[in-house]
Amino acid sequence: MKAVLFDFSGTLFRVESTETWLAAVLDRAGLTLPEGELGRTARALERAGALPGGAPPEAVPGHLADLWATRDRDAASHRAAFTGLAREVPLPDPGLYDALYERHMTPAAWRPYDDAADVLAGLRERGVPVAVVSNIGWDPRPVFRAHGLDPYVDAYVLSYAHGIQKPDPRLFALACEALGADPRETLMVGDDRRADGGAADLGCAVHFVDHLPTDQRPDALRPVLGLAGR
């Protein structure tokens, strides 16, 4: 493989836990919840799928179904879908719903997987170009910069910027074009069998990793070095 495409969330980075996410926003707002309520509220938000990059919704409310299906095609839809899910859970201040969404876009909310830097650096040393291809409603470049990974990424191909979301092969085609790469010599690495698997329809090879907490997935990206740069 002469080029590599990576997904963002669940592949190179993992978002913070729902409880940490909620606690950070409450603290910033100067609010507290009664003893035991923080955990219960965080679990309700997790069941609702309110944290982008976190657990998917257990059930999408009917009034959000159409929006959910196309949430990654533009920034406004992404925000509306996730704040809509969050509003299914009562919070002590209505301003918290937008504050939660804003929090998830900050570098502090994300941690790279332990092997991400080494694998990206190894690809750079071999002269293998890299693109990030993500279904997302915002620009993750500040996250990559804050964690020191931006120098290893040659292109970012983001669904909301193109109005196309994975598994549509057109998004992967744009990434290959940005790298000047032949899809037949390109590897897509992701955690979503359906979304990231769409690269196979373009002719890319696909390598899957599991969307796990960082402490449970220390080296799942390392096999990429054995697949690329030959």
Side-chain angles (χ1 to χ4, degrees):
M1 296 293 109
K2 297 181 180 179
V4 181
L5 315 179
F6 286 97
D7 176 50
F8 165 51
S9 173
T11 299
L12 291 175
F13 282 84
R14 170 80 180 200
V15 76
E16 64 191 340
S17 72
T18 310
E19 186 164 332
T20 301
W21 175 58
L22 175 60
V25 169
L26 289 170
D27 184 65
R28 185 174 179 82
L31 297 171
T32 58
L33 291 174
E35 185 176 353
E37 191 64 24
L38 176 66
R40 286 192 291 272
T41 302
R43 289 191 291 275
L45 287 167
E46 186 160 327
R47 289 192 297 272
L51 173 58
E58 291 186 358
V60 177
H63 67 282
L64 293 174
D66 290 344
L67 185 61
W68 179 254
T70 59
R71 65 193 179 277
D72 296 314
R73 292 184 187 172
D74 63 82
S77 295
H78 193 269
R79 178 184 285 269
F82 282 100
T83 56
L85 291 173
R87 287 188 174 93
E88 296 295 304
V89 179
L91 294 178
D93 186 311
L96 291 173
Y97 299 107
D98 281 320
L100 285 168
Y101 187 84
E102 295 293 332
R103 164 73 187 184
H104 103 275
M105 295 188 289
T106 64
W110 296 89
R111 177 180 166 181
Y113 281 95
D114 291 347
D115 54 348
D118 287 347
V119 169
L120 291 173
L123 293 172
R124 177 52 54 94
E125 289 171 2
R126 298 179 186 191
V128 178
V130 165
V132 170
V133 186
S134 179
N135 278 353
I136 197 168
W138 51 280
D139 189 347
R141 288 175 179 87
V143 175
F144 280 80
R145 287 196 292 267
H147 291 280
L149 300 189
D150 183 63
Y152 304 125
V153 180
D154 299 286
Y156 294 83
V157 179
L158 311 173
S159 62
Y160 83 98
H162 298 281
I164 304 168
Q165 60 188 51
K166 299 181 290 187
D168 192 322
R170 291 178 296 168
L171 200 65
F172 304 105
L174 287 168
C176 290
E177 182 180 348
L179 299 180
D182 183 335
R184 296 167 297 181
E185 298 178 330
T186 300
L187 176 68
M188 174 66 206
V189 183
D191 67 297
D192 189 316
R193 267 63 177 172
R194 177 179 178 274
D196 298 313
D201 292 336
L202 189 66
C204 299
V206 182
H207 177 75
F208 293 113
V209 294
D210 292 324
H211 190 156
L212 294 170
T214 54
D215 61 354
Q216 296 178 31
R217 215 198 75 189
D219 54 10
L221 294 171
R222 294 195 186 280
V224 172
L225 292 175
L227 299 171
R230 295 178 179 177

